[in-house]
Amino acid sequence: MANDQLQVLNALDVAKTQWYHFTAIVIAGMGFFTDAYDLFCISMVTKLLGRIYYHQDGDAKPGTLPPNIAAAVNGVAFCGTLAGQLFFGWLGDKMGRKRVYGMTLMLMVVASIASGLSFGKSANGVMATLCFFRFWLGFGIGGDYPLSATIMSEYANKKTRGAFIAAVFAMQGFGILTGGVVAIIISAAFNARFPAPAYGDDAFASTPPEADYVWRIILMFGAIPAVMTYYWRMKMPETARYTALVAKNAKQAAADMSKVLQVEIEAEQEKVEKIAEEQGNSFGLFSKQFLHRHGLHLLGTTTTWFLLDIAFYSQNLFQKDIFSAIGWIPDSKTMNAIDEVFRIARAQTLIALCSTVPGYWFTVAFIDRIGRFAIQLMGFFFMTVFMFALAIPYNHWTHKDNRIGFVIMYSLTFFFANFGPNATTFVVPAEIFPARLRSTCHGISAASGKAGAIVGAFGFLYLSQNKDPNKTDKGYPPGIGVKNALLILGGVNFLGILFTFLVPEANGKSLEEMSQENEEEDDVPAPSRESRTVPV
């Protein structure tokens, strides 16, 4: 027989939506707001960095970052994020969610400021310093993934848990949007105060000395929301599920949640100890029991997140084609350095406003109505359809008359990534694993995603180069072309559909029911029933 649910956990599961839920969303969500700002703001200043530090006198085009430098500047934060997800995910299960939560935030604050203060006697010296601090920024960001998801899942009730976790993740959209707005304001202000001619008119004067402050201010701004959130994070009590099921302190769990829920909750220490003594509630990550109960689940969460991020982060392959085609970003020779930042930021902000942000909030609205499985399957399906629709008639979309259709298809691909697997791959790992391994397994799943991001952002950047060596981007070797790269990405999305069938549906179930944490070993359902994916 299943054990009776602890009163403190049952109180959380059936609690009506109230103010503390929204407080938790904001506190956890502001971390993701900062994460997205810090990760994506670099793409708005990479062209400026090339102009400032890699300008060559007499060159017909503005300076650009060499391919290896560009890959390092853009990708080192992803590497740090991957490492941080694994490390802080494991630490969150060992030390508790709250204790580790503050560490990640302070690391992000320090690294954001340090990134803007990057120094060196040479161009490569400045880039090396920037990469060093961006790695540690990513390391702190990585910790926010498993901890924010786990904290929100353990605070939420059964009925609206999916929406609450998705709302935390949706703050990414506002972070991306804010990054664009900040870059627009700063570049516009500097352009008005320090006007400069276009590169084609005067190559040297087109990059005023003050331009060096622009990218530094944009990067350092990311420290502000993190600082503002730190106090409130430290005020949050540890989650009752960690305190009761992992730390085995029923009294503290009941006391903490009594304050939060404003109800009297009985401390059931004997029941906590009884649950802890059962063999089925003590197995580790590298055990046959974990493999039997959750092996396929972990395979499902890691593979789907990996495949999703390959497709999601490779979107920049044709972003520059879109921006140029519709006239948002003219030829770089016709702009000065600061004006180019303004136009790139404006274009990215419009994309975020029209497709990225709405997609996140569609997931929030529907995830507890139609379930995680349906949204993820639908998202991968439409991403596959639109990716092939872009790839197969790619030459058709490159004609000037068809550029509006190209933008619509591109935006829909982004929309269904966010109203689909980009949100659900974050939500599900926080719901289906035992409390003592929840943060670790989410960290492993998220790190798999970041490995996919590295493949998508950089592997495909080289792969998508033109077959003709004379038509590749400066410094890049020939590749297979954008059309063939998009065909491969369509196949990647199709694989995402298949691996989604390994992921169980958690809609409307308690965390203990999903992880079987309250089950006696003899009553664990057979694997065929346990791994059912479609709700019945």
Side-chain angles (χ1 to χ4, degrees):
M1 294 291 292
N3 291 314
D4 292 334
Q5 176 77 303
L6 288 171
Q7 190 182 118
V8 65
L9 305 187
N10 187 61
L12 284 165
D13 281 339
V14 301
K16 292 181 179 180
T17 300
Q18 49 193 279
W19 184 248
Y20 86 88
H21 286 120
F22 296 106
T23 304
I25 289 171
V26 171
I27 294 171
M30 283 306 290
F32 264 86
F33 176 97
T34 307
D35 296 349
Y37 180 97
D38 288 331
L39 282 178
F40 289 94
C41 70
I42 194 69
S43 64
M44 286 177 277
V45 298
T46 47
K47 285 186 178 291
L48 177 61
L49 292 171
R51 285 195 186 227
I52 294 172
Y53 294 106
Y54 293 91
H55 168 72
Q56 294 179 354
D57 291 335
D59 201 329
K61 293 183 178 181
T64 57
L65 295 177
N68 60 327
I69 302 292
V73 168
N74 285 290
V76 71
F78 289 150
C79 297
T81 302
L82 189 155
Q85 286 163 338
L86 293 172
F87 177 72
F88 285 115
W90 168 79
L91 204 61
D93 284 332
K94 294 298 178 185
M95 294 178 58
R97 293 46 162 140
K98 178 185 174 179
R99 290 176 66 186
V100 181
Y101 216 18
M103 297 180 199
T104 64
L105 209 57
M106 288 313 299
L107 187 55
M108 288 158 59
V109 170
V110 173
S112 290
I113 295 171
S115 295
L117 298 175
S118 297
F119 55 88
K121 292 183 178 180
S122 65
N124 287 348
V126 175
M127 293 303 107
T129 312
L130 176 61
C131 288
F132 175 80
F133 291 125
R134 291 279 300 171
F135 175 86
W136 290 108
L137 175 64
F139 194 70
I141 288 171
D144 232 38
Y145 276 75
L147 293 169
S148 290
T150 300
I151 285 171
M152 198 64 244
S153 72
E154 293 180 348
Y155 262 103
N157 58 44
K158 284 194 296 186
K159 187 177 180 181
T160 56
R161 186 179 62 238
F164 289 158
I165 305 172
V168 169
F169 192 65
M171 294 296 283
Q172 270 199 345
F174 290 124
I176 296 169
L177 198 62
T178 302
V181 171
V182 169
I184 287 171
I185 292 170
I186 292 171
S187 58
F190 270 79
N191 210 19
R193 180 68 180 83
F194 307 104
Y199 186 88
D201 298 330
D202 188 334
F204 181 77
S206 69
T207 306
E210 293 79 11
D212 196 49
Y213 293 112
V214 172
W215 70 270
R216 296 177 184 275
I217 294 171
I218 291 171
L219 295 188
M220 286 194 286
F221 189 88
I224 295 175
V227 167
M228 292 169 62
T229 313
Y230 183 78
Y231 171 76
W232 296 106
R233 278 201 177 180
M234 293 300 94
K235 290 268 289 183
M236 288 179 76
E238 181 59 87
T239 70
R241 285 182 161 90
Y242 181 86
T243 306
L245 299 176
V246 184
K248 313 290 190 298
N249 190 337
K251 185 177 180 181
Q252 186 65 51
D256 288 342
M257 292 305 105
S258 293
K259 292 179 183 176
V260 169
L261 299 173
Q262 296 181 334
V263 294
E264 284 296 321
I265 298 175
E266 181 185 352
E268 302 168 294
Q269 188 63 38
E270 288 184 10
K271 193 181 288 187
V272 165
E273 290 171 359
K274 184 181 177 185
I275 292 172
E277 286 170 3
E278 289 181 5
Q279 185 181 358
N281 293 325
S282 60
F283 58 82
L285 181 65
F286 302 104
S287 65
K288 288 183 179 179
Q289 285 170 297
F290 180 86
L291 185 65
H292 174 70
R293 286 198 189 186
H294 299 293
L296 286 178
H297 298 163
L298 188 59
L299 178 64
T301 58
T302 52
T303 51
T304 52
W305 207 335
F306 176 77
L307 294 165
L308 173 274
D309 274 10
I310 289 177
F312 187 77
Y313 283 91
S314 63
Q315 298 280 29
N316 61 5
L317 294 180
F318 46 106
Q319 197 169 70
K320 62 180 185 295
D321 298 329
I322 289 176
F323 293 161
S324 299
I326 60 179
W328 285 352
I329 301 179
D331 191 287
S332 57
K333 292 186 293 185
T334 65
M335 299 177 284
N336 66 47
I338 299 174
D339 189 36
E340 189 172 36
V341 174
F342 175 84
R343 290 175 184 267
I344 292 170
R346 184 179 64 179
Q348 293 197 7
T349 302
L350 285 169
I351 289 290
L353 195 60
C354 295
S355 62
T356 306
V357 172
Y360 282 121
W361 291 98
F362 264 73
T363 300
V364 174
F366 291 104
I367 193 168
D368 288 314
R369 298 184 185 184
I370 62 178
R372 293 83 166 128
F373 177 81
I375 288 178
Q376 185 161 310
L377 201 67
M378 175 196 68
F380 270 128
F381 172 77
F382 281 112
M383 287 174 71
T384 304
V385 169
F386 289 122
M387 200 66 83
F388 281 131
L390 283 168
I392 296 169
Y394 182 72
N395 293 331
H396 167 81
W397 297 120
T398 57
H399 295 142
K400 191 174 181 180
D401 294 341
N402 303 321
R403 61 192 184 187
I404 298 301
F406 192 58
V407 174
I408 292 171
M409 300 289 274
Y410 175 76
S411 297
L412 285 170
T413 308
F414 252 126
F415 176 81
F416 281 105
N418 292 315
F419 182 33
N422 195 36
T424 55
T425 51
F426 176 81
V427 173
V428 174
E431 300 181 301
I432 63 176
F433 298 107
R436 66 188 178 281
L437 299 171
R438 186 169 291 135
S439 179
T440 301
C441 290
H442 194 286
I444 293 169
S445 303
S448 177
K450 274 299 166 281
I454 293 167
V455 172
F458 306 107
F460 277 83
L461 187 60
Y462 283 85
L463 199 64
S464 65
Q465 293 297 318
N466 201 293
K467 297 177 184 178
D468 185 348
N470 297 318
K471 295 181 180 180
T472 61
D473 292 341
K474 186 178 179 181
Y476 287 88
I480 63 173
V482 173
K483 179 176 180 176
N484 291 328
L486 290 174
L487 286 170
I488 292 173
L489 290 172
V492 167
N493 288 323
F494 180 74
L495 287 175
I497 295 175
L498 301 181
F499 279 101
T500 293
F501 285 91
L502 295 177
V503 181
E505 177 60 74
N507 195 23
K509 299 177 182 178
S510 74
L511 297 180
E512 288 67 46
E513 188 178 353
M514 285 307 303
S515 64
Q516 296 152 9
E517 218 161 352
N518 258 7
E519 302 284 350
E520 293 182 4
E521 186 66 16
D522 293 340
D523 294 311
V524 176
S528 59
R529 292 182 60 195
E530 174 192 343
S531 58
R532 183 184 295 275
T533 54
V534 183
V536 291

